[in-house]
């Protein structure tokens, strides 16, 4: 069974997670320095989360359809994203086995993997809060 | 057992003189008009006669202007030619530069649109036109790999394309076509193959017995044959072993990845145009030393399996592997430091730029040990 019941749940969790990432000065500084616009495209359920660091000053998080053209797109099942944030996804394996599809200069996004690792500790918290909210 | 996925989408045909049957194979793939991609030294040196003779009764067009460091402009020019000539299949005859170019041309030709739209991993989701790869170097494994890189000169970096649909339909391995490869390139490309085998064997996801056996056998074949292939290029048995070893290592790395050595080599190629095999040969021992504290058990097992160590102690066996690589490189006349390979003295801004390129290279993701920017910087300094 898929972890997220619907797109709203998925968007809600991812939005909260990225907001908290944005409150961590270390992660924020490095994300802004990348000046990337990364869009996560999820399926089962459908979802779009766009992280815009392009001006290097402010990180903007938005969910749902966007007019903004991302520099890098990462597509995967929402369950893969859930497992990723729990620190349970072996990213190289997920790429080799085709579970993660990336479009654009993927090199730039991959450099951010070590940067966002501290968020693995934040995610369970977001999930538990989210579960209480929806309970 | 750990999970794994293992793909070999390419049919592999090996024989002395196999190149002369290229056209027949293209016809089997239902090609009507072939786009043959190669480079000037190969065409003008007359090395491809046996392959091209076969195409006398089949419509074809030849593009032979692929530069060593092929780029997006070259890809677009070839794709345009192919469209005008209405080609429906591609034949790549050459080294990694030619084969990588042909793979990216195939994306353009089949899918149309802007090439930059297709860079990424697993981003191509449909069958491309038939592509037959005929390697003339024994090193890159591009004839079976699911990746291709070409330079974007405007941005000064290499673009990466990775998809199982990028693997050529057929790889034709003809050792006779590698006989003309000069000693230095024979040695350098051979070290590329050895680096694929060794890096794949210790890569973070190298957990399949399929890739393991390809790695150990191909590494052994390189140790046993590269000296002869370099010193006596006409030795067909040594050339055959090298060609097959390089394809085997190609199958291995395209399934389990490479590592920090390739990340460093790609950055040197992008910034200074250092030949991929030469750069790998210089960085390989440094990469092993760097990974040694966490991968000694794997290196040691490889050293024993390829016959360069009898030691039961992992650190000693890894040291034996390092010595064997060093001796092989010296015997084959390969430079051992970047400064001896024509790389100018590295100033701080060069190193900074190289570090950015290396840490963002996807190869690094597969390295068994995490590499910080400082680690990378130290590796450049040691290799210089
Ligand atoms: N896609 C992959 O899986 C993969 C893997 C490793 C390397 N590569 C790429 O491959 C490229 C390097 O390829 P390479 O090492 O094969 O060298 P190359 O294709 O650049 O060729 C080097 C030179 O050797 C000459 N040459 C090739 N075969 C010859 C022959 N039989 N006789 C005489 N001259 C010959 C060529 O004309 C050229 O001048 C790099 O761009 C690297 O990024 C790709
Ligand atoms: Fe290589």
């Amino acid at each position: 069974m898929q972890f997220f019941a619907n797109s709203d749940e998925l968007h809600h969790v991812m939005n909260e997670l990225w907001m908290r990432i944005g409150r961590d000065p270390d992660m924020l500084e490095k994300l802004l320095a990348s000046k990337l616009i990364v869009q996560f495209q999820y399926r089962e359920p459908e979802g779009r989360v766009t992280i815009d660091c392009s001006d290097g000053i402010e990180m903007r998080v938005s969910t749902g359809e966007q007019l903004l053209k991302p520099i890098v797109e990462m597509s995967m099942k929402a369950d893969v994203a859930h497992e990723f944030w729990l620190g349970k996804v072996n990213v190289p394996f997920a790429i080799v086995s085709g579970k993660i599809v990336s479009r654009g200069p993927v090199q730039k996004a991959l450099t951010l993997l070590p940067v966002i690792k501290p968020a693995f500790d934040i995610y369970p918290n977001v999930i538990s809060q989210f579960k209480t909210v929806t309970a | 057992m750990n999970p794994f996925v293992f793909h070999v989408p390419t049919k592999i045909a090996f024989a002395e003189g196999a190149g002369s049957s290229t056209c027949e194979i293209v016809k089997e793939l239902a090609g009507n008009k072939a786009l043959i991609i190669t480079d000037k030294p190969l065409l003008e040196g007359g090395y491809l006669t046996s392959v091209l003779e076969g195409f006398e009764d089949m419509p074809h067009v030849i593009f032979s202007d692929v530069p060593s460091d092929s780029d997006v402009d070259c890809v677009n020019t070839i794709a345009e030619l192919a469209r005008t000539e209405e080609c429906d299949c591609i034949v790549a005859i050459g080294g990694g530069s030619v084969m990588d170019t042909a793979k990216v041309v195939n994306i353009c030709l089949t899918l149309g649109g802007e090439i930059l739209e297709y860079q990424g991993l697993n981003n191509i989701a449909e069958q491309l036109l038939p592509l037959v790869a005929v390697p003339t170097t024994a090193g890159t494994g591009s004839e079976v790999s699911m990746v291709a890189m070409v330079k974007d000169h405007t941005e000064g970096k290499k673009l990466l394309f990775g998809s199982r649909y990028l693997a050529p339909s057929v790889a034709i391995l003809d050792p006779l076509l590698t006989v003309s490869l000069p000693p230095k390139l024979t040695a350098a490309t051979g070290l590329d193959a050895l680096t694929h085998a060794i890096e794949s064997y210790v890569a973070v996801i190298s957990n399949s017995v399929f890739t393991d056996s390809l790695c150990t056998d191909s590494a052994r074949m390189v140790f046993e044959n590269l000296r002869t292939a370099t010193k006596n290029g006409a030795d067909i048995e040594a050339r055959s072993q090298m060609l097959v070893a390089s394809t085997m290592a190609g199958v291995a790395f395209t399934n389990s990845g490479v590592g920090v050595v390739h990340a460093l080599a790609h950055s040197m190629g992008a910034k200074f145009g250092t030949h991929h095999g030469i750069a790998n040969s210089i960085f390989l021992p440094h990469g092993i030393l760097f990974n040694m504290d966490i991968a000694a058990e794997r290196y040691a097992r490889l050293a024993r399996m390829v016959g360069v160590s009898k030691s039961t102690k992992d650190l000693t066996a890894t040291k034996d592997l390092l010595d064997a690589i060093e001796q092989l490189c010296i015997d084959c006349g390969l430079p051992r430091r970047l400064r001896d390979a024509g790389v100018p003295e590295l100033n701080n801004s060069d190193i900074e730029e190289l570090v950015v390129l290396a840490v963002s290279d996807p190869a690094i993701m597969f390295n068994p040990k995490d590499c910080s920017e400082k680690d990378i910087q130290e590796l450049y300094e040691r290799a210089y």
Side-chain angles (χ1 to χ4, degrees):
Chain A
M1 208 182 78
Q2 64 189 42
F3 181 77
F4 297 104
N6 54 46
S7 302
D8 282 349
E9 271 190 8
L10 170 66
H11 283 157
H12 183 87
V13 168
M14 292 302 166
N15 188 57
E16 177 62 24
L17 174 69
W18 280 101
M19 287 306 195
R20 293 200 198 180
I21 291 175
R23 292 202 284 272
D24 177 300
D26 280 352
M27 284 194 272
L28 182 65
E29 187 192 330
K30 289 176 186 139
L31 288 165
L32 288 173
S34 76
K35 299 206 170 166
L36 272 183
I37 307 173
V38 183
Q39 184 171 84
F40 297 93
Q41 303 178 345
Y42 301 118
R43 57 184 194 281
E44 298 172 33
E46 289 290 315
R48 290 266 185 290
V49 179
T50 309
I51 316 298
D52 176 6
C53 297
S54 56
D55 65 6
I57 299 167
E58 192 191 342
M59 182 170 91
R60 292 179 202 86
V61 181
S62 48
T63 54
E65 288 301 330
Q66 281 291 313
L67 288 177
L68 190 68
K69 188 170 162 43
I71 298 171
V72 178
E73 291 168 19
M74 309 286 277
S75 317
M76 66 202 81
K77 281 188 181 173
D79 276 359
V80 173
H82 171 63
E83 297 267 309
F84 170 81
W85 289 114
L86 287 174
K88 288 186 184 165
V89 168
N90 175 335
V91 176
F93 184 71
I95 288 174
V96 168
S97 56
K99 284 186 183 161
I100 297 180
V101 173
S102 71
R103 182 155 170 266
V106 56
Q107 291 95 317
K108 288 188 184 169
L110 293 177
T111 2
L112 295 177
L113 277 179
V115 172
I116 54 170
K117 262 194 179 160
F120 293 176
D121 293 336
I122 302 176
Y123 185 69
N125 206 284
V126 175
I127 290 294
S128 59
Q129 188 197 355
F130 161 80
K131 288 233 139 127
T132 8
V133 170
T134 53
Chain B
M1 198 183 265
N2 288 321
F4 66 83
V5 173
F6 185 77
H7 270 293
V8 193
T10 306
K11 171 174 160 183
I12 301 164
F14 167 87
E16 252 180 76
S20 59
S21 60
T22 306
C23 185
E24 276 166 51
I25 288 175
V26 169
K27 284 178 183 163
E28 276 171 27
L29 292 167
N32 291 313
K33 184 167 185 179
L35 165 68
I36 299 176
I37 304 177
T38 186
D39 67 19
K40 274 238 153 61
L42 281 166
L43 188 68
E44 291 177 357
Y47 306 128
L48 309 181
T49 315
S50 64
V51 184
L52 297 179
E53 273 173 1
F55 283 88
E56 273 165 11
D57 65 347
M58 180 184 183
H60 66 274
V61 52
I62 300 178
F63 182 93
S64 64
D65 267 339
V66 176
S68 225
D69 220 354
S70 185
D71 61 9
V72 174
D73 294 342
C74 176
V75 166
N76 285 329
T77 308
I78 306 176
E80 193 47 46
L81 170 74
R83 264 181 229 117
T84 316
E85 295 282 341
E86 298 182 356
C87 298
D88 60 1
C89 58
I90 302 177
V91 179
I93 319 168
S97 300
V98 166
M99 291 187 283
D100 276 17
T101 304
K103 288 168 158 181
V104 185
V105 166
N106 200 9
I107 305 173
C108 273
L109 194 56
T110 315
L111 305 175
E114 236 327 292
I115 189 63
L116 295 181
E117 290 293 308
Y118 299 106
Q119 58 170 330
L121 298 167
N122 304 321
N123 183 27
I124 297 159
E126 58 190 281
Q127 203 70 47
L128 304 180
L129 288 172
L131 167 63
V132 175
V134 190
T136 62
T137 61
T140 68
S142 183
E143 67 277 10
V144 284
S145 78
M146 300 179 244
V147 291
M149 286 174 99
V150 292
K151 215 166 179 177
D152 180 355
H153 281 295
T154 48
E155 294 233 10
K157 58 185 171 199
K158 283 209 164 187
L159 305 177
L160 172 74
F161 302 85
S163 158
R164 68 194 167 100
Y165 296 107
L166 272 184
S169 326
V170 184
I172 300 178
L173 309 184
D174 180 354
L176 301 181
L177 294 171
T178 64
V179 166
S180 52
L181 191 66
K184 193 175 169 193
L185 277 168
T186 301
T189 48
L191 256 293
D192 187 18
L194 183 63
T195 308
H196 293 155
I198 295 178
E199 289 213 284
S200 268
Y201 193 73
V202 300
V204 73
I205 57 165
S206 68
N207 46 20
S208 124
V209 285
F210 289 89
T211 51
D212 277 5
S213 31
L214 289 166
C215 292
T216 48
D217 262 335
S218 61
R220 178 186 52 74
M221 287 157 81
V222 173
F223 275 117
E224 289 175 359
N225 294 281
L226 186 58
R227 286 178 182 84
T228 311
T230 303
K231 290 192 176 129
N232 178 14
D235 186 315
I236 302 301
E237 187 51 29
R239 290 289 193 186
S240 303
Q241 294 275 343
M242 281 306 303
L243 189 54
V244 173
S246 119
T247 302
M248 288 163 67
V251 173
F253 90 74
T254 204
N255 280 282
S256 59
V258 275
V260 64
V261 177
H262 265 77
L264 294 163
H266 288 152
S267 66
M268 292 311 287
K271 176 139 179 73
F272 295 110
T274 313
H275 182 269
H276 181 70
I278 302 246
N280 274 330
S281 77
I282 294 171
F283 287 123
L284 181 58
H286 298 283
I288 294 176
L289 277 169
F290 172 73
N291 288 333
M292 200 158 152
D293 52 344
I294 65 155
E297 193 260 331
R298 294 287 285 173
Y299 289 129
R301 196 190 303 193
L302 181 86
R304 292 177 202 116
M305 296 195 65
V306 303
V308 299
S309 180
K310 290 199 167 70
S311 174
T312 51
K313 295 198 172 68
D314 289 348
L315 288 182
T316 311
T318 305
K319 174 85 183 18
D320 291 341
L321 177 65
L322 282 164
D323 290 345
I325 294 168
E326 205 54 33
Q327 198 54 54
L328 179 67
C329 291
I330 291 168
D331 292 348
C332 293
L334 286 165
R336 303 313 302 129
R337 296 178 304 184
L338 293 172
R339 70 180 72 191
D340 303 327
V343 175
E345 197 167 338
L346 301 174
N347 60 34
N348 285 347
S349 93
D350 291 334
I351 294 200
E352 242 171 65
E353 200 183 320
L354 287 166
V355 167
V356 169
L357 287 171
V359 294
S360 60
D361 192 293
I364 215 155
M365 207 175 32
F366 296 89
N367 196 63
K369 181 174 166 183
D370 284 342
C371 313
S372 68
E373 294 191 357
K374 189 162 164 286
D375 295 330
I376 297 286
Q377 180 176 337
E378 283 171 9
L379 285 166
Y380 284 121
E381 285 163 358
R382 274 185 226 134
Y384 189 77

